[in-house]
């Protein structure tokens, strides 16, 4: 690809970033829609690829390196990623977990290494989304911002000291995920398995070993032990609607972990339920999407 073409495309991407920044700056309360097609723009993906290549870095779980992509053809790699994004078929894969030493300590810090394809996609999203967030940042913010660094923050502190300031507060969250109760996140991991159950017929696949279960008042109604809140239902009536079956049930009993109760009543904030909405087919916790229904089950099936 000629260098002049690269420069022109860089300018087009920069022009897009400036437009997004100005739009967000002019209207702080405006919600910017339809950014998806900007992320899979070819010039944005090409710029993202160049940034990822410059950073080098190791391969992810697929073990595909930057050198392999260059050998197989960068254009083919970007064609595939662009098509997956445009058709909304793109699915990120788990990051490869490695442990690196902490400077001056015997402890090791966990590090997740995404696939190169995922890094390119993440970088393209950053190229498009970053200007919209930059419009809201204050001048005193330096962390993880373009053309800003911790050294500039230190220089700002020195200037404030020269003006007579005497207090500097340094705060950090130490070992957050190390100290986090795994039960808080445990039931979210069940979403993929639940999606898998909805995709696979019990006639074709034995699903009895997917979950640890327990029984309450109803001897034929197993409930998932890892769920913080479970409900046992008794089947009352069945209706044949020709193309579908309608089941009418009655709640026989409800079971909740003590950690999910407040004043003896289930507390949604503690239980953090997972909800399915349709027709957008998404799994939600309170306030955020945690997975796409059905496709998340397909990913689970690939890992089984």
């Amino acid at each position: 690809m000629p260098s002049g073409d690269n420069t022109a495309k860089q300018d087009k991407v920069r022009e897009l970033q400036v437009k997004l920044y100005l739009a967000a700056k002019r209207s702080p309360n405006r919600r910017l829609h339809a950014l998806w097609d900007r992320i899979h723009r070819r010039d944005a993906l090409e710029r993202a690829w160049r940034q990822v290549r410059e950073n080098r870095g190791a391969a992810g779980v697929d073990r595909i390196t930057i050198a392999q992509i260059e050998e197989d053809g960068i254009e083919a790699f970007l064609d595939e990623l662009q098509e997956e994004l445009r058709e909304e078929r793109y699915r990120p894969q788990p990051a490869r977990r490695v442990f690196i030493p902490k400077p001056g300590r015997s402890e090791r810090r966990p590090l997740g290494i995404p696939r190169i394809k995922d890094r390119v996609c993440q970088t393209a999203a950053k190229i498009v989304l970053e200007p919209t967030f930059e419009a809201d940042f204050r001048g005193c913010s330096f962390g993880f911002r373009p053309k800003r660094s911790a050294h500039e923050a230190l220089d700002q502190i020195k200037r404030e000291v020269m003006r007579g300031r005497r207090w500097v507060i340094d705060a950090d969250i130490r070992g957050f995920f190390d100290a986090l109760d795994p039960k808080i996140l445990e039931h979210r991991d069940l979403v993929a398995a639940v999606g898998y159950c909805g995709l696979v017929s019990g006639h074709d696949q034995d699903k009895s070993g997917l979950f640890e279960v327990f029984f309450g008042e109803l001897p034929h109604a197993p409930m998932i032990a890892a769920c913080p809140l479970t409900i046992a239902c008794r089947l009352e009536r069945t209706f044949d609607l020709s193309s579908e079956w309608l089941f009418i049930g009655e709640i026989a009993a409800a079971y909740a972990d003590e950690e999910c109760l407040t004043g003896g009543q289930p507390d949604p904030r503690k239980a953090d339920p997972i909800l399915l909405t349709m027709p957008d087919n998404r799994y939600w916790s309170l306030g955020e999407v945690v997975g796409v229904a059905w496709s998340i089950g397909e990913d689970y099936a690939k890992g089984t």
Side-chain angles (χ1 to χ4, degrees):
M1 190 179 297
S3 59
D5 190 29
N6 278 347
T7 303
K9 288 185 177 180
Q10 287 275 11
D11 292 342
K12 286 291 186 180
V13 172
R14 184 59 186 160
E15 181 181 320
L16 169 65
Q17 290 181 307
V18 171
K19 287 182 178 179
L20 292 172
Y21 173 84
L22 292 177
K25 196 70 174 177
R26 282 193 297 264
S27 306
N29 296 324
R30 177 183 175 184
R31 298 187 64 180
L32 296 173
H33 300 279
L35 295 178
W36 182 255
D37 62 324
R38 271 70 166 179
I39 292 175
H40 61 68
R41 272 176 42 159
R42 185 58 173 225
D43 52 359
L45 290 174
E46 288 175 350
R47 177 170 169 181
W49 159 254
R50 285 192 289 273
Q51 291 184 14
V52 170
R53 182 175 57 184
E54 288 170 4
N55 292 334
R56 307 309 295 177
V61 293
D62 58 2
R63 301 294 178 176
I64 297 177
T65 64
I66 290 175
Q68 285 177 276
I69 293 174
E70 291 176 326
E71 184 179 342
D72 294 339
I74 298 170
E75 292 299 320
F77 169 79
L78 293 176
D79 286 342
E80 181 181 60
L81 176 57
Q82 186 177 32
E83 185 177 352
E84 288 180 5
L85 290 169
R86 184 187 296 120
E87 297 178 359
E88 299 186 16
R89 294 186 291 106
Y90 167 77
R91 297 292 182 270
Q93 296 300 304
R96 181 165 67 90
R97 176 61 62 91
V98 298
F99 291 87
I100 60 175
K102 291 185 178 181
R105 302 182 186 179
S106 59
E107 304 172 12
R108 295 194 304 164
R109 178 169 65 89
L111 178 68
I113 304 177
R115 295 182 307 166
I116 293 171
K117 177 184 281 189
D118 295 334
R119 297 209 292 270
V120 172
C121 184
Q122 291 167 5
T123 303
K126 179 177 180 289
I127 288 170
V128 173
L129 297 177
E130 188 172 61
T132 68
F133 289 100
E134 272 294 305
D136 294 331
F137 276 116
R138 296 185 178 183
C140 60
S141 178
F142 291 89
F144 300 99
R145 294 183 64 189
K147 299 182 180 179
R148 293 204 169 205
S149 68
H151 294 291
E152 291 179 287
L154 291 173
D155 291 339
Q156 181 66 34
I157 291 173
K158 292 176 183 177
R159 288 193 290 269
E160 294 298 329
V161 170
M162 296 299 292
R163 294 190 183 108
R165 309 286 187 183
R166 290 294 177 264
W167 288 92
V168 177
I169 299 176
D170 182 16
D172 191 12
I173 300 176
R174 183 178 64 183
F176 174 76
F177 287 101
D178 295 336
L180 186 65
D181 184 352
K183 285 189 176 181
I184 295 175
L185 301 175
E186 185 180 45
H187 69 286
R188 293 196 182 193
D189 295 334
L190 299 174
V191 172
V194 170
Y196 172 73
C197 283
L199 290 173
V200 179
S201 169
H203 292 287
D204 304 324
Q205 193 78 25
D206 181 11
K207 299 183 283 186
S208 61
L210 287 175
F211 308 103
E212 180 183 350
V213 300
F214 72 97
F215 293 88
E217 295 183 7
L218 304 179
H220 302 296
M223 290 169 285
I224 300 174
C227 290
L229 177 64
T230 54
I231 299 174
C233 296
R234 179 186 296 108
L235 179 63
E236 293 293 330
R237 298 185 67 183
T238 302
F239 295 91
D240 185 356
L241 303 180
S242 187
S243 60
E244 303 285 347
W245 287 88
L246 175 63
F247 300 97
I248 305 296
E250 177 187 14
I251 296 177
Y255 304 86
D257 293 346
E258 290 186 6
E259 308 94 83
C260 298
L261 301 179
T262 297
Q265 297 296 321
D267 188 330
R269 292 168 298 182
K270 294 181 179 179
D272 194 12
I274 300 296
L275 308 175
L276 169 63
T277 56
M278 299 180 72
D280 61 340
N281 298 334
R282 295 183 184 273
Y283 289 117
W284 295 76
S285 68
L286 295 180
E288 67 172 317
V289 176
V290 296
V292 179
W294 323 140
S295 64
I296 196 171
E298 293 174 356
D299 295 338
Y300 182 89
K302 294 175 184 176
T304 54

